[in-house]
Every structure is written in C-alpha cells, then in structure tokens.
Amino acid sequence: MRKIEHLQPDYSICIICEGEKTEPYFYRDLIAWMERERWPLDYQCSIFPVPASLSDADSDINGRKKIKRQLENMPTKTNEVILRGPMPECWVDSGIAQLDVFSEVWVVFDKDDHPHHQQAFEKVRHQRHLHKNLNLAFSSRCFEMYLLQHFEYNTQAFLKSECHENRNGKTRYFNCGLQSAIPGKACNGDKCINGYARSHGFWQNSKNGQAFSFIRNLWYGIFNSHRLKWHSLATQPNDTEVYLRNPYLDSYRLTLRLLGYHSLEHSDILYHKVGNSQVHSLQRKGNTVVFKNDSQIKMVIPANSISVWKAITDNEPKINVEWLIKDNLEEIVVLPHKDYYIKLDDMLISDVYYLKIHWYNNIYFCAREDHIDVNFDMSKFQLSTC
C-alpha cells in the first residue's frame, strides 16, 4: 500500500470513501460551500477517491451538464490511495497507512454486505486504543440513510440503497419510485432508500455526484442523524455491534468536524489542563452535562458560551438553517473542586432543540439522547474524536 509521498501543510484531514461519487462529492461540495460562505477553515483536506476537477462535468437529474468546482483547499499534488484486501478492511488499512502523513484520518463506508466488518472495526478500535487519530463515519444501511435525515427523521430499517438484480455479470435496476418501475420487482420504497426518496419527491438519483445540491438543511440532517443513532442504541440489544445495527449513523460526526464542531455525547469526558496535575473537565452522563473543576483555579464559562438552537427545515433549498432560541447570558464561575450541572431536559424543551457549548476554543453540539440507560457502556461505539 503506497502512502502519500508528501506531508500536508499545517493541520490536515484525509477522508477515504467507499463510494466513488456520492460520499466524496458530498464532502467536497460541503467544503466548497463553506469556502464560498467564507466559513473559517483551519485544515487542509484531501478526499479519496479524488473528486472531479473544474474541467470535468457531470449530468444532473435532468440531463444537463453541470461544471464541478475544484476544491480550493485540496493540496495541488496528491497520489492515489491504493486499496488491497477485502472490504471494508481495505479502507481502514488505507486510513492507517496515512496516519503518519495527515493530522487526522476519516474512513467512510456503509453496512452493505461486506465480508470483513468485524476485522475493520477491530482495527479502528485498536488504533484508537493507541490514541491514533483514525475516525470512522459509518452508515447503515448506506450513506443515503444519512441524506434522508436531511428531509425527515426516519428510523426505517431499509434493506438496500437500490433494488436490483445481477444476471450474467450485468446489473438490472428495478427503478423503484419511478414511472418506469418494473412491476413485481420494484419495492416502491418499502425496501430501498432511493425508491423511498423518489416516491416522496426528495431526490431522483443519489449516485450522480449531486447529493449536496439537493439537501436542504445541514443542521436538520445532523440533528436527525444524531437522534437516529441514539434511537438505535436505545432500542436494539446493548451488545449488538455497530456493523450489525440497522439503522445506525455516525456520518453526521464527520460533517460536524468539517464545520468546525465537535459532538458531546453520553460518556464523553474532555479535559483541559490548567496546572500541574490539575484539570478542568466537561463531562456528559446521559442527559446531564457537568463542568467539573478538579483544580485550585476557578473555571470561568463566559457569557453567551451556552446557547439553545432549533433545527428547522422548510421547502426552500437553504443549506444552513437554524434558529437561535436563547443564550445563557450570565457568566458561570465554577469554584475549585466544585461542579456545575446542566440538565438538558430543563433547557431543551422541544424535540428539535439542541445546545451549542463553547469551551476552551472548541464548539460542541449537544442534543438530547432519549431512552438511553445512563450506565450504557459506550466503549465499543466511540469510533471518532468528534
């Protein structure tokens, strides 16, 4: 497996995708949108497979040619990531090979019917045990399940992304949700996500590299995906492995990371050293957030550091839609060896409300996680740093 031959400047992120178009184009177009909106970027990003450059064109769902914009912060010189071995282990191996070149590596793949899920997940966990910055953005059943959350909160256990059959080495699609659907074969959205999306008018084709253009609200998708993940954790047996769950999503965490946010979830503990063997920490247990001061130095949480937001969606193609409900306007001071508690049930009085917490130069997304046991063991589910 060949490594990228040059070190990236400053902080760098590498994203290795299973898909050839849907996922790499989605993240490329997300970053391109951020650049157009003058969103602050503190990293260089390389995406593999490498999305099309400015000179390439793809057809949209109406057959028109649309020029793709080159990612401006993509390093000008990249080499191909070589994949060897069974899926999805090969993508994890490729990510591990880039850890000494990039500051942070994300591997993006789906449940599908890959043969080596267990081996892939074990390798990710081993690298994280070694404190390596290897992260997993996993979608079950597939990445389209993440796209669907931008339109509605949906927990259906779909069986595939697209209904089809293979005969004599050729793939025959059943055109679920279209007028050309094959009678007796097409599920009309009962089994496949793309058929469901087409039957509800959400999108026509998720495989043409246009996925980012048809989603309406990043925050609504992030919120719904987080909610779906915790629905899966709360309703399926506790010992069910991630790769055996359907549905399940971690894809939103990569979107948050690229936007400059982190996700604060059950059992997360964040430390900030303030003196010799003295720390301030931000912890979460169930729907309680704790600012813990294990030091002789007071912890100050400035005014407006904690705010309540609402994820909204409408029929307009707006990408970043959210409403500020209220700020915590008062400064919070946590005295030495004291704790300060926030009960999310008290602050998030609506199902679509969430917190943004500014804490030591980072911003954390924090939404309710209903029906989860506060003693739930998250060790096998903590597969990313976001």
Side-chain angles (χ1 to χ4, degrees), residues 151-189:
F151 297 86
E152 65 177 27
Y153 175 60
N154 189 305
T155 62
Q156 182 173 337
F158 292 98
L159 300 180
K160 57 191 74 178
S161 62
E162 192 79 68
C163 288
H164 66 279
E165 64 182 4
N166 295 314
R167 286 188 178 181
N168 302 321
K170 295 183 179 180
T171 301
R172 180 195 186 199
Y173 291 98
F174 300 154
N175 300 333
C176 300
L178 296 174
Q179 291 184 348
S180 58
I182 300 175
K185 296 286 189 178
C187 77
N188 296 317

